[in-house]
Amino acid sequence: MAVRDRDIKLLMRYVAGELDEAARRRLKERLDEDEQLRAALRQLRSTWSALSPPIGEPKVPDQTSRILSEIRRRRERDPGVAGWFAAPVWIKAGSLASLAVGLVMGLLVSTSGFGPPPEVSEPSADGDLFLAAEPTSADLYWRALEASSGGLGDEQENGT
Amino acid sequence: MESFGVLVERHQPRLWRLCERMLGSSEDAGEATQEVFLKAYRGCSAFRPNAKVSTWLYRIAVNHCLNRLRRRKLATFLSLAELAPKAQGEAPAAEWDPADSGPDAEQRLADRRRWAQVKAAIDRLPLNQRSVLVLAKLEGLSYREISQTLGITESAVESRLVRAMRRLQALGIQQGVGHGG
């Protein structure tokens, strides 16, 4: 019978040094009785050991000064970008929130305009047109035009 | 900047080694280490004080190496010229130092050849298995530390490590036995 996945994981934890003392003892007891488990452990250990690097590995070069001078160089070249990345989270969050609010407001204004149009009251009995709101310069212009031409018909006024 | 300099000085050797093991090349490791610290400098505001600095740096380094390996795979796939020497079984120049002279020269040469084969086998692992294996075996991190570094569960660490080991066994990587390629 092949070794179960669960047992392979347990053996792997054992090889990697992840088991506590009690778990190690329990596993050793099982290993004493189970030849297949022992064979699986031997294989795992063999592969694990083969992954150890040779003693004479290349020496790690000291790059500290090179790294720091590169950081300085990039910071001088592009301070804005470095500043943004280095900014605290609350500044970034605040900036993004302001941007979002601005976008939403822009969207609302563009879809609904700058406000409702001025309400036009019903023409009075003598045919004069009164605006409920403060007359604009365009209204004043049209009124002056009407006065000079002797007044327009009701139909035309309602159409404007 | 001075405190960041201390950070670089303290962690640079381990990060260089990690990058070298992930990327399989000393030259790439040098560049990658520099990029990792640049990213760390830019993203230092994202560092949480309750996390370990080394774990945070390892996470940046592993992600950087994985991105680099993905780009390299794509470049290899796109470039037929790059495939040619690998198909002929040539090892990268950095892998083969001139042989030493002396009584242990043969042993050292054999060790280097064995290590080159191991590295070639590790290179053939899927990236998610490779990163777990490198962190567990070559960097000596615990399952918990690996899970924090990679942002995955301990159970996922365990599964990936076992799969990596099975694949290496299938590739003939065993101590004291002839290594397959």
Side-chain angles (χ1 to χ4, degrees):
Chain A
M1 197 178 80
V3 179
R4 291 175 300 178
D5 264 10
R6 203 177 59 186
D7 287 334
I8 292 286
K9 284 180 179 173
L10 185 67
L11 292 173
M12 191 62 243
R13 277 186 180 268
Y14 180 57
V15 170
E18 286 284 322
L19 292 185
D20 58 27
E21 185 55 43
R24 267 205 308 273
R25 208 176 320 115
R26 280 197 300 273
L27 179 62
K28 277 177 183 170
E29 284 168 10
R30 284 187 59 198
L31 282 166
D32 286 341
E33 297 164 3
D34 191 337
E35 170 54 35
Q36 279 189 326
L37 207 57
R38 282 201 299 276
L41 177 63
R42 271 196 302 274
Q43 277 192 334
L44 270 181
R45 268 191 174 148
S46 174
T47 303
W48 191 249
S49 310
L51 297 173
S52 301
I55 295 162
E57 268 200 298
K59 202 174 166 233
V60 177
D62 186 8
Q63 291 184 295
T64 308
S65 56
R66 183 181 139 194
I67 290 167
L68 292 177
S69 62
E70 182 63 22
I71 289 173
R72 276 192 207 98
R73 195 179 68 79
R74 291 204 195 181
R75 198 174 54 174
E76 282 161 17
R77 194 182 62 187
D78 197 0
V81 175
W84 168 256
F85 281 112
V89 176
W90 65 270
I91 288 185
K92 289 180 185 174
S95 307
L96 290 174
S98 306
L99 184 66
V101 168
L103 283 172
V104 169
M105 284 179 69
L107 202 68
L108 287 174
V109 166
S110 66
T111 52
S112 63
F114 290 95
E119 283 180 29
V120 179
S121 63
E122 287 296 318
S124 62
D126 56 359
D128 284 340
L129 184 70
F130 292 99
L131 295 174
E134 196 70 16
T136 64
S137 36
D139 297 328
L140 294 173
Y141 169 77
W142 281 112
R143 278 185 205 171
L145 201 66
E146 285 162 18
S148 65
S149 64
L152 291 170
D154 284 352
E155 301 84 6
Q156 282 172 306
E157 285 174 2
N158 288 335
T160 56
Chain B
M1 193 70 183
E2 281 83 22
S3 56
F4 195 78
V6 174
L7 186 94
V8 173
E9 202 166 10
R10 185 175 300 164
H11 294 279
Q12 183 251 331
R14 283 192 79 183
L15 286 186
W16 187 91
R17 190 68 80 193
L18 171 68
C19 292
E20 197 257 345
R21 284 162 175 170
M22 285 289 292
L23 300 170
S25 148
S26 308
E27 284 174 31
D28 287 352
E31 274 180 44
T33 310
Q34 181 172 300
E35 289 301 317
V36 167
F37 279 112
L38 279 164
K39 283 182 180 176
Y41 182 74
R42 286 172 173 173
C44 51
S45 60
F47 174 69
R48 286 165 300 163
N50 58 344
K52 273 174 76 178
V53 178
S54 57
T55 306
W56 174 62
L57 287 172
Y58 263 49
R59 177 180 281 219
I60 297 173
V62 170
N63 286 336
H64 180 77
C65 290
L66 290 177
N67 286 336
R68 209 171 164 124
L69 286 167
R70 286 187 194 111
R71 279 201 300 272
R72 190 195 285 173
K73 268 190 178 177
L74 185 66
T76 308
F77 178 71
L78 294 173
S79 163
L80 289 173
E82 264 189 78
L83 280 176
K86 283 187 180 174
Q88 290 162 14
E90 288 178 17
E95 304 289 344
W96 298 101
D97 300 337
D100 301 323
S101 56
D104 297 333
E106 272 186 32
Q107 181 58 46
R108 262 180 280 176
L109 188 62
D111 280 350
R112 278 186 207 164
R113 285 201 172 133
R114 180 193 65 78
W115 185 237
Q117 284 174 335
V118 168
K119 282 168 98 173
I122 292 174
D123 277 353
R124 290 171 68 177
L125 293 174
L127 296 182
N128 60 2
Q129 292 174 24
R130 185 196 304 198
S131 45
V132 169
L133 183 85
V134 167
L135 291 173
K137 174 61 185 173
L138 301 173
E139 301 301 323
L141 265 59
S142 67
Y143 282 17
R144 176 184 276 270
E145 287 170 324
I146 297 170
S147 77
Q148 286 167 351
T149 303
L150 298 180
I152 56 177
T153 61
E154 279 190 48
S155 169
V157 171
E158 184 171 51
S159 299
R160 288 181 190 183
L161 188 58
V162 167
R163 282 205 295 272
M165 289 291 283
R166 280 192 169 142
R167 201 175 275 246
L168 291 173
Q169 283 176 342
L171 290 169
I173 299 298
Q174 285 185 2
Q175 185 74 44
V177 182
H179 305 296

